[in-house]
Amino acid sequence: MAPVTNVRVLFAAYPKDFPIPGETTVHDTSETIDLDSAPLNGGFLIKTLVLSVDPYMRGRMRRPEVKSYAAGFTIGAPLAGYGVALVLRSDNPDVAAGKYVYGIIPHQEYSIVPTMEGLLFLEKHPKLPWTVFVGAAGMPGKTAYMGWKEYSHAKKGETAFVTTGAGPVGSLVIQLAKRDGLKVIASAGSDEKVQFLKDIGADVAFNYKTTDTREVLEKEGPIDVYWDNIGGEILEAALDHANIYARFLECGMIAGYNTGQKGITNLNQVISKSLTISGVLVFRLHAKYDKEFYDTVPAALAAGEFKYNEDVSRGLETVGDVILRVQKGWNTGKAVVVVAEE
Amino acid sequence: MAPVTNVRVLFAAYPKDFPIPGETTVHDTSETIDLDSAPLNGGFLIKTLVLSVDPYMRGRMRRPEVKSYAAGFTIGAPLAGYGVALVLRSDNPDVAAGKYVYGIIPHQEYSIVPTMEGLLFLEKHPKLPWTVFVGAAGMPGKTAYMGWKEYSHAKKGETAFVTTGAGPVGSLVIQLAKRDGLKVIASAGSDEKVQFLKDIGADVAFNYKTTDTREVLEKEGPIDVYWDNIGGEILEAALDHANIYARFLECGMIAGYNTGQKGITNLNQVISKSLTISGVLVFRLHAKYDKEFYDTVPAALAAGEFKYNEDVSRGLETVGDVILRVQKGWNTGKAVVVVAEE
């Protein structure tokens, strides 16, 4: 068969603040691949089906001298992120053609992958589309599930405050908290999202852009568990309205990803209220919870016991836009890009 | 017997930044008390023997509208703090004259106390003076011991960083960490104090005023346990040089007590390194550890297994000076005021 174009999304420039489609990232059609004969060198060829666009990706758009948990993207190379792909051909006897893999994969239509390192096999679910497996049943869902299990120490009757509640992490946290018998205060950035918060069971839901978070917490708090995807002033408000012995789960600080972190000036509350602050980083919890997660969460999603919300775009050419929308909070559910049907 | 003067130290004005002797606090001789006939109303009369001056007291010198774990001092009323006192007379059958009590007591020579609430009885130790029972065997020692036991999750071979290591909390933390088999990096604010750090076993001891903390941590870290009595820039340095899964024990933030807290801008390290930050507030740990503490620590101090350092002043008239010296870090050991011999 003749070579086909292998569409890619390349990282083109370090963003000054927000990542700009066409400048920070570019859509590239210069490469081709022969799907039948491209050498695999012991690895396997995959076809990308869906890709996840997540807030943390902004952190990888940094200069190599800045250290963090995930390597920075390389200028001129494709972006990479969580996705689901179909194995087309394989040199590896453990990886058969026709299998589905999940994990960090390049933002391109086809990739030759050397090993299964960082990937895992998924079974096709009779009721759930692949998009769910990068969202509520993927990294964001795992973040919520594993973080909540490991660090919340939630007790019935307590009060939780969940930020970015309409996102794929926050929305599952809300539902886990409700299942554990907590009162849930949740915030999001639009009235449409606030409606979704109510639909999934939040007791108190508000638009943080039009309602003062401190006023809500003053009235509905104090809070025993704080799920933080925001950082900055909202974290300060949560510290001021925390109950004694509250647990803070630090999952993200998007308030500062693009414009710099605001200094937190009231950490003394940690002492006076005997607070515990824990960082939630999902890949360090996989070993402990992955089996339990896949045994329970997809089934609960398929049965409608946990609700989820997706914001699906089609085609790699949308990736740059979707990245910006996620950083701006303009997406209305888990941002997923469908790259190809099977 | 004729009434005697009851010397007091009154809280006179809210400090703008550092507390000024004679202005923030005043030495007062206007009150008298008849030790034989002053009515006890079911309570008991105590004679103050020693008083502790601690960094946290700055937090009580605030306007009543600012909330914190300890009530603010009242303008015109005596200061109060940890101390040891002798019961002179009692209306309470459970509190016999001749007993010794420990707890928060007013900064005055004699006090009539309504109940034992917040106080406990101490037995006179054959080898340790009462000053030790407000220091290494009192609140600061308990803070170190109970905080370390509850939150450090220390493992042999790990590295700890202890700030204000020459103080009564830090110096015991250093010795507990060494006993648990950790490498200990410790800082203090003078070369004399640095010598003390070495004397009590710190592996790496430095004067943070003349040596850059970041350079030391870069070379000797990363750190697995951080005992923070400072906050501010030193906390930021510790976050940047923390190991994955490090535990931060927040005990004090004296860098900001007098001049305002600096905003902490790198809390994102909590996420990327899966850190846990815990607030250490000793009175919430009493129920769990008080018996164990009194069963073991005074004996270890008396036997020389734990070393301690005191900075003893004599007379209530020195309290205002001692408070300022503690806030400035000019004391050279646990600051204690001996008010009276028995």
Side-chain angles (χ1 to χ4, degrees), chain B residues 130-142:
Chain B
W130 285 123
T131 50
V132 174
F133 285 87
V134 296
M139 183 277 286
K142 291 184 189 186

Side-chain angles (χ1 to χ4, degrees), chain A residues 111-161:
Chain A
S111 305
I112 294 166
V113 181
T115 72
M116 278 294 289
E117 193 182 320
L119 300 175
L120 51 85
F121 293 116
L122 289 181
E123 296 292 326
K124 194 164 183 172
H125 194 280
K127 292 188 181 168
L128 298 173
W130 285 123
T131 51
V132 174
F133 285 86
V134 295
M139 182 277 285
K142 292 184 189 186
T143 301
Y145 185 89
M146 299 176 185
W148 185 260
K149 286 261 172 177
E150 181 73 9
Y151 301 115
S152 75
H153 305 293
K155 288 183 280 293
K156 193 176 170 177
E158 288 189 329
T159 297
F161 174 39

Side-chain angles (χ1 to χ4, degrees), chain A residues 188-205:
Chain A
S190 75
D191 292 347
E192 181 190 354
K193 291 178 181 177
V194 168
Q195 184 56 52
F196 179 64
L197 302 181
K198 291 176 184 167
D199 292 345
I200 60 174
D203 299 284
V204 179

Side-chain angles (χ1 to χ4, degrees), chain A residues 69 264 272 274-275 277 279 284, chain B residues 69 264 272 274-275 277 279 284:
Chain A
Y69 60 94
I264 303 297
S272 53
S274 300
L275 306 182
I277 301 179
R284 298 204 184 103
Chain B
Y69 61 92
I264 303 298
S272 53
S274 300
L275 306 181
I277 302 179
R284 298 204 182 102

